[in-house]
Amino acid sequence: MNEPALTIKNLEKTYASGTQALKGVSLEVPSGDFFALLGPNGAGKTTLIGIVTGLVTKTAGSVSVHGIDIEKEPEWTRALIGLCGQEINFDPWMKPLDVVVNQAGYYGIPRSVAIPRAKKILGDLGLGDKMDQIGFRLSGGMKRRLMIARALIHEPKFLILDEPTAGVDVELRRSMWDYLTALTKQGITILLTTHYLEEAERLASHVAIINKGEIILAGSMEEVLKTHEGGTSGYGGGKLEDIFVKLTSEQT
Amino acid sequence: MPLEKQFISFYTIVRKGVIRIFRIWSQTLLPPLVTSVLYFAIFGTILGSRIGELDGVPYILFVVPGLVMLSVITSAFMEVASTFFFAKFFSRNIDEVLVSPTPTLVIIAGFITSGIIRGMLVGVLVLIVSFFFALPSVAHPLIVLLFLFLSSLVFSLGGLINGIYAKSFDSITIVPTFVLTPLVYLGGVFYSIHSLPPLWQTLSLANPVFYIINGFRYGFLGTSDVSIFICTAVLLLLTGILLGVNWYFLKKGLGLKQ
């Protein structure tokens, strides 16, 4: 049996300010899954992702990626993960091709391998004709796609997407989802956080809802939609959205 | 991470830094040249002709090594401090390296190598400029190269600490203005410490820049206020300490991880 892509046990995080961002979170993301991690703003999603990727230090608990502890073998687990963060954070003075090829370099991939691979990924994501344009001149949607390309260049087994489609128009979002869904068919596990719950409902096979640093719901999408009665809010946002609003407002 | 991959990662960091140095050459290479021309003209030629000789050499030849070092130190420091801080604070692209398997020491080596390259490049350019004002003789070329390298290394490491630790852009500009410049000016760029009162002579010995300038000057003139071995030992000791501090800061994620 395959190791889960991500195993989190009793994860806690208290910031220096005293804010308890995660209060004993336990979570399992099956290998090859499209997993949606949902939650309102400030629920702890980005903190959790930060810990998994090594950008935030945990206070307690354990995290394993494909069975490897992130603390004991950080170099191994980092090589398995691709991160597309919430903030646009590439060097704005660099060209997309250089951004992606440099990222490959940090993973020890030689330029002779990285350049054709980067061109292929950028082309697949619709940035083929923008490869040599300076980064800050790209549109918001293009910058997002560049972030995804950068996260994929080292062929990670586990891709983390923290609100990758924020501010992206509908048409582009759909093409991005098609591309990402195709990746899961190649065996890549995707952990997604998004505020577009309808899309999460359609794409993800498993879901977890986090609120105030605690997981308040986790399971397969089918199971969650079947067992939780959300009622119809009349907003037409889909069943998952109703469940989400109901559960998070109950906690409030 | 296997050694071969570590080297590719190191090369990537350095390549990015060097491309940046040349892309914005008017900010990285030109200013120290302009400043040096002014220094050579005013202190070397105009004032120097009135001062005459110091330690048995014409004043301009005495100040050339110190003025070269002034540019080297500032350039190496600012290269690493500002690049790291920009990547950490403004573009946030330092995360690109931090999420990768690149080991801490490779990150340090990559950033400081860019600083060393800029420091040494500026040093050579300022030295070439100095030829238009005086032709310094080089008594020990290898010592000149060694001190060019060691001073760039020490101040690149110092710049990295500043870049890691800085919480605002002010912190990046404060150190060169209020720490580096006084250290350089009081480190014997324009004078020999033998011309100072005994108390100031003793205080000068606590200034690391004093050893850098003296070691470098020894390479040119063959004379120094202190032994060349002491100068080298001080720089090696500083390298070890600053490397350890950088490694600790990055490993702990100080100023980088929450």
Side-chain angles (χ1 to χ4, degrees), chain A residues 88-176:
Chain A
I88 304 285
N89 68 345
F90 55 82
D91 187 335
W93 300 99
M94 285 173 67
K95 294 169 184 170
L97 184 63
D98 293 331
V99 169
V100 180
V101 171
N102 272 0
Q103 190 65 22
Y106 301 140
Y107 288 81
I109 300 165
R111 291 177 65 81
S112 57
V113 175
I115 291 171
R117 196 189 284 177
K119 283 182 178 169
K120 164 90 173 58
I121 296 173
L122 287 167
D124 288 349
L125 283 161
L127 292 170
D129 56 342
K130 304 287 177 190
M131 277 187 247
D132 292 319
Q133 190 174 311
I134 207 86
F136 72 82
R137 294 219 173 95
L138 298 175
S139 70
M142 288 173 187
K143 286 176 182 165
R144 289 272 166 211
R145 281 179 281 164
L146 174 55
M147 300 264 291
I148 294 175
R150 188 181 66 180
L152 288 169
I153 189 64
H154 61 287
E155 300 181 333
K157 284 175 79 178
F158 181 33
L159 182 62
I160 299 176
L161 305 165
D162 194 1
E163 296 186 28
T165 51
V168 175
D169 66 52
V170 184
E171 203 181 334
L172 195 58
R173 262 192 353 245
R174 287 186 179 181
S175 69
M176 276 167 72

Coordinates of all heavy atoms in Angstrom, one line a residue, chain A residues 88-176:
Chain A
I88 N 2.6 36.4 -4.8 CA 3.5 36.4 -6.0 C 4.9 36.7 -5.4 O 5.1 37.8 -4.9 CB 3.1 37.5 -7.0 CG1 1.6 37.3 -7.4 CG2 4.0 37.5 -8.2 CD1 1.3 36.2 -8.3
N89 N 5.8 35.8 -5.6 CA 7.1 36.0 -4.9 C 8.3 35.6 -5.8 O 9.2 35.0 -5.3 CB 7.2 35.3 -3.6 CG 7.2 33.8 -3.7 OD1 6.8 33.3 -4.7 ND2 7.5 33.1 -2.6
F90 N 8.2 35.9 -7.1 CA 9.4 35.7 -7.9 C 10.1 37.0 -8.1 O 9.5 38.1 -7.9 CB 9.1 35.0 -9.2 CG 8.1 35.7 -10.1 CD1 8.4 36.8 -10.9 CD2 6.7 35.3 -10.1 CE1 7.5 37.4 -11.6 CE2 5.8 35.9 -10.8 CZ 6.1 37.0 -11.6
D91 N 11.3 37.0 -8.5 CA 12.1 38.2 -8.7 C 11.4 39.0 -9.9 O 11.5 38.5 -11.1 CB 13.6 37.9 -9.0 CG 14.4 39.1 -9.1 OD1 13.9 40.2 -9.4 OD2 15.6 39.0 -8.9
P92 N 10.8 40.1 -9.7 CA 10.1 40.8 -10.8 C 11.0 41.3 -11.9 O 10.5 41.6 -13.0 CB 9.5 42.0 -10.1 CG 10.3 42.2 -8.9 CD 10.8 40.9 -8.5
W93 N 12.3 41.3 -11.7 CA 13.2 41.8 -12.8 C 13.7 40.7 -13.7 O 14.4 40.9 -14.6 CB 14.4 42.5 -12.2 CG 14.0 43.7 -11.4 CD1 13.8 43.8 -10.0 CD2 13.6 45.0 -11.9 NE1 13.4 45.0 -9.7 CE2 13.2 45.8 -10.8 CE3 13.5 45.5 -13.2 CZ2 12.8 47.1 -10.9 CZ3 13.1 46.8 -13.3 CH2 12.7 47.6 -12.2
M94 N 13.3 39.5 -13.4 CA 13.7 38.3 -14.2 C 12.7 37.9 -15.2 O 11.5 38.1 -15.0 CB 14.1 37.2 -13.2 CG 15.4 37.4 -12.5 SD 15.7 36.1 -11.3 CE 15.9 34.7 -12.4
K95 N 13.2 37.2 -16.2 CA 12.3 36.7 -17.2 C 11.7 35.4 -16.8 O 12.4 34.6 -16.0 CB 13.0 36.5 -18.5 CG 13.5 37.8 -19.2 CD 14.5 37.5 -20.3 CE 15.1 38.8 -20.8 NZ 16.2 38.6 -21.7
P96 N 10.4 35.0 -17.2 CA 9.8 33.8 -16.7 C 10.7 32.6 -16.9 O 10.8 31.7 -16.0 CB 8.6 33.7 -17.5 CG 8.2 35.1 -17.8 CD 9.5 35.9 -17.9
L97 N 11.4 32.5 -18.1 CA 12.2 31.3 -18.3 C 13.3 31.3 -17.3 O 13.6 30.2 -16.8 CB 12.8 31.4 -19.7 CG 13.6 30.2 -20.2 CD1 12.8 28.9 -20.2 CD2 14.3 30.4 -21.5
D98 N 13.9 32.4 -16.9 CA 15.0 32.4 -16.0 C 14.5 32.1 -14.6 O 15.2 31.4 -13.8 CB 15.7 33.8 -15.9 CG 16.4 34.1 -17.2 OD1 16.9 33.1 -17.9 OD2 16.5 35.2 -17.6
V99 N 13.3 32.5 -14.2 CA 12.7 32.2 -12.9 C 12.6 30.7 -12.8 O 13.0 30.2 -11.7 CB 11.3 32.9 -12.8 CG1 10.6 32.4 -11.5 CG2 11.5 34.4 -12.7
V100 N 12.1 30.1 -13.8 CA 11.8 28.6 -13.7 C 13.1 27.8 -13.8 O 13.3 26.9 -13.0 CB 10.8 28.2 -14.8 CG1 10.6 26.7 -14.7 CG2 9.5 29.0 -14.7
V101 N 14.0 28.2 -14.6 CA 15.3 27.5 -14.8 C 16.1 27.7 -13.5 O 16.8 26.7 -13.0 CB 16.1 28.0 -16.0 CG1 17.5 27.4 -16.0 CG2 15.3 27.6 -17.3
N102 N 16.1 28.9 -12.9 CA 16.8 29.1 -11.6 C 16.3 28.2 -10.5 O 17.0 27.6 -9.7 CB 16.7 30.5 -11.2 CG 17.8 31.4 -11.8 OD1 18.7 30.9 -12.5 ND2 17.8 32.6 -11.5
Q103 N 15.0 28.1 -10.5 CA 14.3 27.2 -9.5 C 14.8 25.8 -9.6 O 15.1 25.1 -8.7 CB 12.8 27.3 -9.6 CG 12.1 26.6 -8.5 CD 12.3 27.3 -7.1 OE1 12.7 28.5 -7.1 NE2 12.1 26.6 -6.0
A104 N 14.9 25.3 -10.9 CA 15.5 24.0 -11.2 C 16.9 23.9 -10.6 O 17.2 22.8 -10.0 CB 15.5 23.7 -12.6
G105 N 17.6 24.9 -10.7 CA 19.0 24.9 -10.2 C 19.1 24.7 -8.7 O 20.0 24.0 -8.2
Y106 N 18.1 25.3 -8.0 CA 18.1 25.1 -6.5 C 17.9 23.6 -6.1 O 18.1 23.3 -5.0 CB 17.1 26.0 -5.9 CG 17.3 27.5 -6.2 CD1 16.2 28.3 -6.4 CD2 18.6 28.0 -6.2 CE1 16.4 29.7 -6.7 CE2 18.8 29.4 -6.5 CZ 17.7 30.2 -6.7 OH 17.9 31.5 -7.0
Y107 N 17.3 22.9 -7.1 CA 17.1 21.5 -6.8 C 18.2 20.6 -7.5 O 18.0 19.4 -7.5 CB 15.7 21.1 -7.4 CG 14.6 21.6 -6.5 CD1 14.1 22.9 -6.7 CD2 13.9 20.8 -5.6 CE1 13.1 23.4 -5.9 CE2 12.9 21.3 -4.8 CZ 12.5 22.6 -5.0 OH 11.5 23.2 -4.2
G108 N 19.2 21.3 -7.9 CA 20.3 20.5 -8.5 C 20.2 20.0 -9.9 O 20.9 19.1 -10.3
I109 N 19.2 20.6 -10.6 CA 19.0 20.2 -12.0 C 19.8 21.0 -12.9 O 19.7 22.3 -12.9 CB 17.5 20.3 -12.4 CG1 16.6 19.4 -11.4 CG2 17.2 19.9 -13.8 CD1 15.1 19.8 -11.4
P110 N 20.6 20.4 -13.8 CA 21.5 21.2 -14.7 C 20.7 22.0 -15.7 O 19.6 21.6 -16.1 CB 22.4 20.2 -15.3 CG 21.8 18.9 -15.1 CD 20.9 19.0 -13.9
R111 N 21.3 23.1 -16.1 CA 20.5 24.0 -17.0 C 20.2 23.3 -18.4 O 19.2 23.6 -19.0 CB 21.4 25.2 -17.3 CG 21.5 26.2 -16.1 CD 22.4 27.3 -16.4 NE 21.9 28.2 -17.4 CZ 20.9 29.1 -17.2 NH1 20.5 29.3 -16.0 NH2 20.5 29.9 -18.2
S112 N 21.1 22.4 -18.8 CA 20.8 21.6 -20.0 C 19.5 20.8 -20.0 O 18.9 20.6 -21.0 CB 22.0 20.7 -20.4 OG 22.2 19.8 -19.3
V113 N 19.2 20.4 -18.8 CA 17.9 19.6 -18.6 C 16.8 20.6 -18.3 O 15.7 20.5 -18.8 CB 18.1 18.6 -17.4 CG1 16.8 17.9 -17.1 CG2 19.2 17.6 -17.7
A114 N 17.1 21.6 -17.5 CA 16.1 22.5 -17.0 C 15.5 23.4 -18.1 O 14.3 23.7 -18.1 CB 16.7 23.4 -15.9
I115 N 16.3 23.9 -19.1 CA 15.8 24.8 -20.1 C 14.7 24.2 -21.0 O 13.6 24.7 -21.0 CB 17.0 25.4 -20.9 CG1 17.8 26.4 -20.0 CG2 16.5 26.2 -22.1 CD1 19.1 26.9 -20.6
P116 N 15.0 23.0 -21.6 CA 13.9 22.5 -22.4 C 12.6 22.1 -21.5 O 11.5 22.3 -22.0 CB 14.5 21.2 -23.0 CG 15.8 21.0 -22.3 CD 16.2 22.3 -21.7
R117 N 12.9 21.7 -20.3 CA 11.8 21.3 -19.4 C 11.0 22.5 -19.1 O 9.7 22.5 -19.1 CB 12.3 20.6 -18.2 CG 11.2 19.9 -17.4 CD 11.7 19.4 -16.0 NE 12.6 18.3 -16.1 CZ 13.1 17.8 -15.0 NH1 12.9 18.3 -13.8 NH2 13.9 16.7 -15.1
A118 N 11.6 23.6 -18.8 CA 11.0 24.9 -18.4 C 10.2 25.4 -19.6 O 9.0 25.9 -19.4 CB 12.0 25.9 -18.0
K119 N 10.7 25.3 -20.8 CA 10.0 25.8 -22.0 C 8.7 25.0 -22.2 O 7.7 25.5 -22.6 CB 10.9 25.7 -23.2 CG 12.0 26.8 -23.3 CD 12.8 26.6 -24.5 CE 13.9 27.8 -24.6 NZ 14.9 27.6 -25.6
K120 N 8.8 23.7 -22.0 CA 7.7 22.8 -22.1 C 6.6 23.2 -21.1 O 5.4 23.4 -21.5 CB 8.1 21.3 -21.9 CG 7.1 20.3 -21.7 CD 6.6 19.7 -23.0 CE 5.6 18.6 -22.9 NZ 4.4 18.8 -22.2
I121 N 7.0 23.3 -19.9 CA 6.0 23.6 -18.8 C 5.3 25.0 -19.1 O 4.1 25.2 -19.0 CB 6.6 23.6 -17.4 CG1 7.0 22.1 -17.1 CG2 5.6 24.0 -16.4 CD1 7.8 22.0 -15.8
L122 N 6.2 26.0 -19.4 CA 5.7 27.4 -19.6 C 4.8 27.3 -20.9 O 3.7 28.0 -20.8 CB 6.8 28.3 -19.9 CG 7.6 28.7 -18.6 CD1 8.9 29.4 -19.0 CD2 6.8 29.6 -17.7
G123 N 5.1 26.6 -21.9 CA 4.3 26.4 -23.0 C 2.9 25.8 -22.7 O 1.9 26.3 -23.1
D124 N 3.0 24.7 -21.9 CA 1.8 24.0 -21.5 C 0.8 25.0 -20.7 O -0.4 24.8 -20.7 CB 2.1 22.8 -20.6 CG 2.7 21.7 -21.4 OD1 2.7 21.8 -22.6 OD2 3.3 20.8 -20.8
L125 N 1.4 25.9 -20.0 CA 0.6 26.8 -19.1 C 0.3 28.1 -19.9 O -0.2 29.1 -19.3 CB 1.4 27.1 -17.8 CG 1.3 26.0 -16.8 CD1 2.4 26.2 -15.7 CD2 -0.1 26.0 -16.1
G126 N 0.5 28.1 -21.2 CA 0.1 29.3 -22.0 C 1.1 30.5 -21.9 O 0.7 31.6 -22.2
L127 N 2.3 30.2 -21.4 CA 3.3 31.3 -21.3 C 4.4 31.2 -22.3 O 5.4 31.9 -22.2 CB 3.9 31.3 -19.9 CG 2.9 31.7 -18.8 CD1 3.6 31.5 -17.4 CD2 2.4 33.1 -18.9
G128 N 4.2 30.4 -23.4 CA 5.2 30.1 -24.4 C 5.7 31.4 -25.0 O 6.9 31.5 -25.3
D129 N 4.8 32.4 -25.3 CA 5.3 33.6 -25.9 C 5.7 34.7 -24.9 O 6.0 35.8 -25.3 CB 4.2 34.1 -26.9 CG 2.8 34.4 -26.1 OD1 2.7 33.8 -25.0 OD2 2.0 35.1 -26.7
K130 N 5.7 34.4 -23.6 CA 6.0 35.4 -22.6 C 7.3 35.0 -21.9 O 7.7 35.7 -21.0 CB 4.9 35.5 -21.6 CG 3.5 35.8 -22.2 CD 3.4 37.2 -22.6 CE 2.1 37.5 -23.3 NZ 2.1 38.8 -23.9
M131 N 8.0 34.0 -22.4 CA 9.1 33.4 -21.7 C 10.2 34.5 -21.5 O 10.9 34.5 -20.5 CB 9.7 32.3 -22.4 CG 9.0 31.0 -22.1 SD 9.9 29.6 -22.9 CE 8.8 29.1 -24.1
D132 N 10.4 35.4 -22.5 CA 11.5 36.3 -22.4 C 11.0 37.7 -22.1 O 11.8 38.7 -22.3 CB 12.2 36.3 -23.8 CG 13.0 35.0 -24.0 OD1 13.5 34.5 -23.0 OD2 12.9 34.4 -25.1
Q133 N 9.8 37.8 -21.6 CA 9.3 39.1 -21.1 C 9.7 39.4 -19.7 O 9.7 38.4 -18.9 CB 7.8 39.2 -21.3 CG 7.2 40.5 -21.2 CD 5.7 40.5 -21.5 OE1 5.3 40.0 -22.5 NE2 4.9 41.1 -20.6
I134 N 10.0 40.6 -19.3 CA 10.4 40.8 -17.9 C 9.2 40.5 -17.0 O 8.0 40.8 -17.3 CB 10.9 42.3 -17.8 CG1 11.9 42.4 -16.6 CG2 9.8 43.3 -17.7 CD1 13.3 42.1 -17.0
G135 N 9.5 39.9 -15.8 CA 8.5 39.4 -15.0 C 7.4 40.4 -14.5 O 6.2 40.0 -14.5
F136 N 7.8 41.6 -14.1 CA 6.8 42.5 -13.6 C 5.8 43.0 -14.6 O 4.8 43.6 -14.3 CB 7.5 43.6 -12.8 CG 8.1 44.7 -13.7 CD1 7.4 45.7 -14.3 CD2 9.5 44.6 -13.9 CE1 8.0 46.6 -15.1 CE2 10.2 45.6 -14.7 CZ 9.4 46.6 -15.3
R137 N 6.1 42.8 -15.9 CA 5.2 43.2 -17.0 C 4.1 42.2 -17.2 O 3.2 42.4 -18.0 CB 6.0 43.5 -18.2 CG 6.9 44.7 -18.1 CD 6.9 45.5 -19.4 NE 7.7 46.7 -19.2 CZ 9.0 46.8 -19.5 NH1 9.6 45.8 -20.0 NH2 9.7 47.9 -19.2
L138 N 4.2 41.0 -16.6 CA 3.1 40.0 -16.8 C 1.8 40.4 -16.1 O 1.9 41.1 -15.1 CB 3.6 38.6 -16.3 CG 4.9 38.0 -16.9 CD1 5.2 36.7 -16.1 CD2 4.7 37.7 -18.3
S139 N 0.7 39.9 -16.7 CA -0.6 40.2 -16.0 C -0.7 39.3 -14.8 O 0.1 38.4 -14.6 CB -1.7 39.8 -17.0 OG -1.7 38.4 -17.2
G140 N -1.7 39.6 -14.0 CA -1.9 38.8 -12.7 C -2.0 37.3 -13.0 O -1.4 36.5 -12.3
G141 N -2.8 37.0 -14.0 CA -3.0 35.6 -14.3 C -1.7 34.9 -14.8 O -1.5 33.7 -14.4
M142 N -1.0 35.6 -15.5 CA 0.3 35.1 -16.0 C 1.3 34.8 -14.9 O 2.0 33.8 -14.9 CB 0.9 36.0 -17.1 CG 0.2 36.1 -18.4 SD 0.9 37.4 -19.4 CE -0.2 37.4 -20.7
K143 N 1.3 35.8 -13.9 CA 2.2 35.6 -12.8 C 1.8 34.3 -12.0 O 2.7 33.6 -11.6 CB 2.1 36.8 -11.9 CG 2.8 38.1 -12.4 CD 2.6 39.3 -11.5 CE 3.3 40.5 -12.2 NZ 2.8 41.7 -11.6
R144 N 0.5 34.1 -11.9 CA 0.1 32.9 -11.2 C 0.5 31.7 -11.9 O 1.0 30.7 -11.3 CB -1.5 32.9 -11.1 CG -2.0 33.9 -10.1 CD -2.1 33.4 -8.7 NE -2.3 34.4 -7.8 CZ -1.9 34.4 -6.5 NH1 -1.2 33.4 -6.1 NH2 -2.2 35.4 -5.7
R145 N 0.4 31.7 -13.2 CA 0.8 30.5 -14.0 C 2.3 30.3 -13.9 O 2.8 29.2 -13.9 CB 0.3 30.6 -15.4 CG -1.2 30.3 -15.6 CD -1.6 30.5 -17.0 NE -1.8 31.9 -17.3 CZ -1.9 32.4 -18.6 NH1 -1.8 31.5 -19.6 NH2 -2.2 33.6 -18.8
L146 N 3.0 31.4 -13.9 CA 4.5 31.3 -13.7 C 4.8 30.6 -12.4 O 5.8 29.8 -12.3 CB 5.1 32.7 -13.8 CG 6.6 32.8 -13.6 CD1 7.4 31.8 -14.4 CD2 7.1 34.2 -13.8
M147 N 4.1 31.0 -11.4 CA 4.3 30.4 -10.0 C 4.1 28.9 -10.1 O 4.8 28.1 -9.5 CB 3.4 31.0 -9.0 CG 3.5 32.5 -8.8 SD 4.6 32.9 -7.5 CE 3.6 32.4 -6.1
I148 N 3.1 28.5 -10.8 CA 2.8 27.0 -10.9 C 3.9 26.4 -11.7 O 4.4 25.3 -11.3 CB 1.4 26.8 -11.6 CG1 0.3 27.3 -10.7 CG2 1.2 25.3 -11.9 CD1 -1.1 27.3 -11.3
A149 N 4.3 27.0 -12.8 CA 5.4 26.4 -13.6 C 6.7 26.3 -12.7 O 7.4 25.2 -12.8 CB 5.7 27.3 -14.8
R150 N 7.0 27.3 -11.9 CA 8.1 27.2 -11.0 C 8.0 26.0 -10.0 O 9.0 25.4 -9.7 CB 8.3 28.5 -10.3 CG 9.5 28.7 -9.5 CD 9.6 30.0 -8.8 NE 8.6 30.1 -7.8 CZ 8.4 31.2 -7.0 NH1 9.2 32.2 -7.1 NH2 7.5 31.2 -6.1
A151 N 6.8 25.8 -9.6 CA 6.6 24.8 -8.6 C 6.7 23.4 -9.2 O 7.0 22.4 -8.5 CB 5.2 24.9 -7.9
L152 N 6.6 23.3 -10.5 CA 6.6 22.0 -11.2 C 7.9 21.6 -11.8 O 8.1 20.5 -12.2 CB 5.5 22.0 -12.3 CG 4.0 21.9 -11.8 CD1 3.1 22.2 -13.0 CD2 3.7 20.6 -11.2
I153 N 8.8 22.5 -11.9 CA 10.0 22.3 -12.7 C 10.9 21.1 -12.2 O 11.5 20.5 -13.0 CB 10.9 23.6 -12.8 CG1 12.1 23.5 -13.8 CG2 11.4 24.0 -11.4 CD1 11.7 23.3 -15.2
H154 N 10.8 20.8 -10.9 CA 11.7 19.7 -10.4 C 10.9 18.4 -10.3 O 11.3 17.5 -9.7 CB 12.3 20.1 -9.1 CG 11.3 20.3 -8.0 ND1 10.6 21.5 -7.9 CD2 10.9 19.6 -6.9 CE1 9.8 21.4 -6.9 NE2 10.0 20.3 -6.2
E155 N 9.7 18.4 -11.0 CA 8.8 17.2 -11.1 C 8.5 16.7 -9.7 O 8.9 15.5 -9.3 CB 9.5 16.1 -12.0 CG 9.7 16.7 -13.4 CD 10.3 15.6 -14.3 OE1 11.0 14.7 -13.8 OE2 10.1 15.7 -15.5
P156 N 7.9 17.5 -8.9 CA 7.6 17.1 -7.5 C 6.5 16.0 -7.5 O 5.7 15.9 -8.4 CB 7.1 18.4 -6.8 CG 6.5 19.1 -8.0 CD 7.3 18.8 -9.1
K157 N 6.5 15.2 -6.4 CA 5.5 14.2 -6.3 C 4.3 14.7 -5.5 O 3.2 14.2 -5.6 CB 6.0 13.0 -5.4 CG 7.0 12.1 -6.2 CD 7.6 11.0 -5.4 CE 6.6 9.9 -5.1 NZ 7.3 8.8 -4.3
F158 N 4.5 15.8 -4.8 CA 3.5 16.4 -4.0 C 3.4 17.9 -4.3 O 4.4 18.7 -3.9 CB 3.8 16.1 -2.5 CG 2.8 16.6 -1.6 CD1 1.4 16.7 -1.9 CD2 3.2 17.0 -0.3 CE1 0.5 17.2 -1.0 CE2 2.2 17.5 0.6 CZ 0.9 17.6 0.3
L159 N 2.3 18.4 -4.9 CA 2.2 19.8 -5.3 C 1.3 20.5 -4.3 O 0.1 20.1 -4.1 CB 1.7 19.9 -6.7 CG 1.6 21.3 -7.3 CD1 2.9 22.0 -7.4 CD2 0.9 21.2 -8.7
I160 N 1.8 21.6 -3.7 CA 0.9 22.4 -2.8 C 0.6 23.7 -3.5 O 1.5 24.5 -3.9 CB 1.7 22.7 -1.5 CG1 2.0 21.3 -0.8 CG2 0.8 23.5 -0.6 CD1 2.8 21.4 0.5
L161 N -0.7 23.9 -3.6 CA -1.2 25.2 -4.3 C -2.0 26.0 -3.3 O -3.1 25.6 -2.9 CB -2.1 24.8 -5.5 CG -1.5 23.9 -6.5 CD1 -2.5 23.3 -7.4 CD2 -0.4 24.6 -7.3
D162 N -1.4 27.1 -2.8 CA -2.1 27.9 -1.9 C -2.8 29.1 -2.6 O -2.2 30.0 -3.0 CB -1.1 28.5 -0.9 CG -1.7 29.1 0.4 OD1 -3.0 29.0 0.5 OD2 -1.0 29.6 1.2
E163 N -4.1 28.9 -2.8 CA -4.9 29.9 -3.5 C -4.3 30.3 -4.9 O -4.0 31.4 -5.1 CB -5.2 31.1 -2.7 CG -6.0 30.7 -1.5 CD -6.5 31.9 -0.6 OE1 -6.6 33.0 -1.2 OE2 -6.6 31.8 0.6
P164 N -4.1 29.3 -5.7 CA -3.4 29.6 -7.0 C -4.2 30.4 -8.0 O -3.7 31.0 -8.9 CB -3.1 28.2 -7.6 CG -4.2 27.3 -7.0 CD -4.5 27.9 -5.7
T165 N -5.5 30.4 -7.8 CA -6.3 31.1 -8.8 C -6.9 32.4 -8.3 O -7.9 33.0 -8.9 CB -7.5 30.2 -9.3 OG1 -8.2 29.7 -8.1 CG2 -7.0 29.1 -10.1
A166 N -6.4 32.9 -7.2 CA -6.9 34.2 -6.6 C -6.7 35.3 -7.6 O -5.6 35.5 -8.1 CB -6.2 34.5 -5.3
G167 N -7.8 36.0 -8.0 CA -7.7 37.1 -8.9 C -7.5 36.7 -10.4 O -7.2 37.5 -11.2
V168 N -7.8 35.4 -10.7 CA -7.6 34.9 -12.1 C -9.0 34.8 -12.7 O -9.9 34.3 -12.0 CB -6.9 33.5 -12.1 CG1 -6.9 32.9 -13.5 CG2 -5.5 33.7 -11.5
D169 N -9.1 35.2 -14.0 CA -10.5 35.2 -14.6 C -11.0 33.7 -14.8 O -10.2 32.8 -14.8 CB -10.5 36.0 -15.8 CG -9.7 35.5 -16.9 OD1 -9.8 34.3 -17.3 OD2 -8.8 36.2 -17.5
V170 N -12.3 33.6 -15.0 CA -12.9 32.3 -15.1 C -12.3 31.4 -16.2 O -12.0 30.2 -15.9 CB -14.4 32.5 -15.4 CG1 -15.2 31.2 -15.4 CG2 -15.1 33.4 -14.4
E171 N -12.1 32.0 -17.3 CA -11.6 31.1 -18.4 C -10.2 30.6 -18.1 O -10.0 29.4 -18.3 CB -11.5 32.0 -19.7 CG -11.6 31.3 -21.0 CD -11.4 32.2 -22.2 OE1 -11.8 33.4 -22.0 OE2 -10.9 31.7 -23.2
L172 N -9.4 31.4 -17.6 CA -8.1 31.0 -17.2 C -8.1 30.0 -16.1 O -7.3 29.0 -16.1 CB -7.3 32.2 -16.8 CG -5.8 32.1 -16.8 CD1 -5.2 31.6 -18.1 CD2 -5.1 33.4 -16.4
R173 N -9.0 30.2 -15.1 CA -9.1 29.3 -14.0 C -9.4 27.9 -14.5 O -8.8 26.9 -14.1 CB -10.2 29.8 -13.1 CG -9.6 30.5 -11.9 CD -10.5 30.8 -10.8 NE -11.9 30.6 -10.8 CZ -12.8 31.5 -10.8 NH1 -12.5 32.8 -10.8 NH2 -14.1 31.2 -10.8
R174 N -10.4 27.9 -15.4 CA -10.8 26.5 -15.9 C -9.6 25.8 -16.6 O -9.4 24.6 -16.5 CB -11.9 26.7 -16.9 CG -13.2 27.0 -16.2 CD -14.4 27.1 -17.1 NE -15.6 27.4 -16.4 CZ -16.8 27.4 -16.9 NH1 -17.0 27.2 -18.2 NH2 -17.9 27.7 -16.2
S175 N -8.9 26.6 -17.4 CA -7.7 25.9 -18.1 C -6.7 25.5 -17.1 O -6.0 24.4 -17.3 CB -7.1 26.8 -19.2 OG -6.5 27.9 -18.6
M176 N -6.5 26.3 -16.0 CA -5.5 25.8 -15.0 C -6.0 24.6 -14.3 O -5.2 23.7 -14.0 CB -5.3 27.0 -14.0 CG -4.3 28.0 -14.4 SD -4.4 29.5 -13.5 CE -3.6 29.0 -12.0

